[in-house]
Amino acid sequence: FRLKGNSSLGAAWGDGNLKLPFRLKFNEFQATYPAITGQRFHGFKELSFSPGYRDQSLVREKVAADLFRLAGVPAARTAFYRVYIDYGTGPLYAGVYTAVEVIDDTMVRDQFGDDAGNLYKPESALGTFSAAEFEKKNNRTANDFSDVQAFVAALNAGTRVTAPASWRAALEATFDVDHFLRWLAVSNTMVNWDSYGTQAQNYYLYHHPVRGLVWIPWDHNEAMIGAPGVTGVPNTRNGLSLSMNEVGSAWPLIRYLADDPVYAARYRTHLRGIRDSVFTEAAMDAMLDRATALVTPFAIGPAGER
């Protein structure tokens, strides 16, 4: 058991709130106790528990992840749990949490059919490569960053201006660009503030044996907040606008793709498809109603959160 989080942990701790974000790892001590090697809980090696920080609806983390998968973007599976914690005097109700599948545990293997490739959890805007900004979640002893180095180099190559077709070919040889454009369209449609384009965090890169590096979203408790609209204003702490006109060159994976007419057209195609088939009023009402019905008895009323 360990606490996790940054602002979510600090805010709860400072308020004396029992609803702290935490993570469970079921074989943490296998090096000391070899008998527990391979220990799992219902198939999981790890589980992450999100308290719904800054989300009075308590459903954003789940609904956003479900929406990504519905739109064809693999994302961690989630479920609601009523959590009790025993501090030594008996169990105390901590509230409704969203349990989130850990990316480097079961998610990659189950949704990509392979988990042998390098998996990174970067904190990088992708303008330059620094190994310190690309935390490896597996294959650590190999110390091989050649895949992500090649991707960053291809993205920032000067051929983007002098030979766009060659630039696109080199970039697609290292990175699943169309998949990223689909993620970007879903993320901008739902207004996913705490992600690439405003924050250099909350994403993973997995090296698929056929597709190259694939973008995986993470941490959605602040999705569906605000409405920047079709155009945006630079340097504001909002989600990205649909046109992304406010995004500067500090975010090359967005700015350079948006400036390329081929990729810009693909992005608009994804936007239209998501609007027409996924992010419809009827579908979103039903998804939000289902999630709200699940948490309501355990969040409000005499048996609710305190």
Side-chain angles (χ1 to χ4, degrees):
F1 176 98
R2 71 169 177 86
L3 299 177
K4 71 179 188 75
N6 187 3
S7 53
S8 58
L9 176 59
W13 188 272
D15 289 342
N17 189 339
L18 296 181
K19 200 175 185 185
L20 302 168
F22 65 92
R23 181 174 288 203
L24 300 175
K25 187 173 182 182
F26 302 106
N27 66 342
E28 171 70 17
F29 303 104
Q30 67 179 16
T32 305
Y33 303 100
I36 69 166
T37 298
Q39 185 164 279
R40 299 291 185 270
F41 181 76
H42 292 286
F44 293 99
K45 180 174 65 178
E46 296 184 66
L47 285 172
S48 180
F49 283 79
S50 171
Y53 172 64
R54 293 182 62 182
D55 176 12
Q56 294 186 54
S57 74
L58 299 178
V59 304
R60 290 190 178 110
E61 185 93 42
K62 177 168 179 56
V63 170
D66 290 349
L67 184 60
F68 273 123
R69 290 197 312 280
L70 187 63
V73 178
R77 291 166 293 191
T78 57
F80 296 124
Y81 283 83
R82 195 181 195 198
V83 174
Y84 293 82
I85 300 178
D86 189 339
Y87 291 85
T89 57
L92 296 175
Y93 182 41
V96 175
Y97 280 72
T98 303
V100 184
E101 180 182 28
V102 174
I103 301 298
D104 50 304
D105 181 14
T106 50
M107 182 269 173
V108 170
R109 182 185 67 249
D110 288 354
Q111 296 189 48
F112 290 96
D114 175 276
D115 62 358
N118 287 338
L119 178 66
Y120 302 94
K121 190 174 189 293
E123 291 190 2
S124 171
L126 304 175
T128 58
F129 172 77
S130 169
E133 295 178 344
F134 289 85
E135 178 189 358
K136 292 188 79 172
K137 306 301 288 187
N138 65 354
N139 302 334
R140 293 183 179 93
T141 57
N143 198 34
D144 177 15
F145 294 85
S146 58
D147 47 6
V148 75
Q149 283 179 288
F151 160 52
V152 173
L155 173 64
N156 294 281
T159 50
R160 178 178 63 86
V161 176
T162 60
S166 297
W167 174 72
R168 288 193 294 269
L171 181 59
E172 291 177 23
T174 67
F175 181 66
D176 192 335
V177 178
D178 193 67
H179 174 82
F180 174 79
L181 291 171
R182 179 183 292 272
W183 167 82
L184 189 61
V186 179
S187 183
N188 289 349
T189 297
M190 74 166 73
V191 189
N192 186 24
W193 169 78
D194 193 13
S195 62
Y196 184 85
T198 57
Q199 302 290 316
Q201 60 186 21
N202 290 335
Y203 67 96
Y204 286 77
L205 292 172
Y206 174 62
H207 189 178
H208 189 274
V210 176
R211 298 164 59 182
L213 289 168
V214 182
W215 191 273
I216 301 174
W218 180 252
D219 195 356
H220 305 123
N221 67 289
E222 297 201 58
M224 302 182 183
I225 298 177
V230 175
T231 60
V233 180
N235 301 320
T236 58
R237 294 176 67 85
N238 293 322
L240 302 184
S241 68
L242 293 179
S243 69
M244 304 177 294
N245 63 293
E246 75 276 17
V247 179
S249 58
W251 305 100
L253 186 54
I254 291 178
R255 184 69 271 149
Y256 296 167
L257 297 189
D259 287 343
D260 182 88
V262 173
Y263 290 147
R266 288 190 201 173
Y267 166 74
R268 289 193 295 271
T269 298
H270 284 309
L271 274 180
R272 284 192 293 270
I274 291 157
R275 176 200 63 189
D276 294 341
S277 63
V278 179
F279 204 78
T280 66
E281 183 174 355
M284 291 308 303
D285 279 351
M287 187 180 293
L288 290 163
D289 285 347
R290 283 195 301 271
T292 302
L294 285 171
V295 302
T296 296
F298 311 108
I300 63 174
E305 298 202 24
R306 289 183 286 277

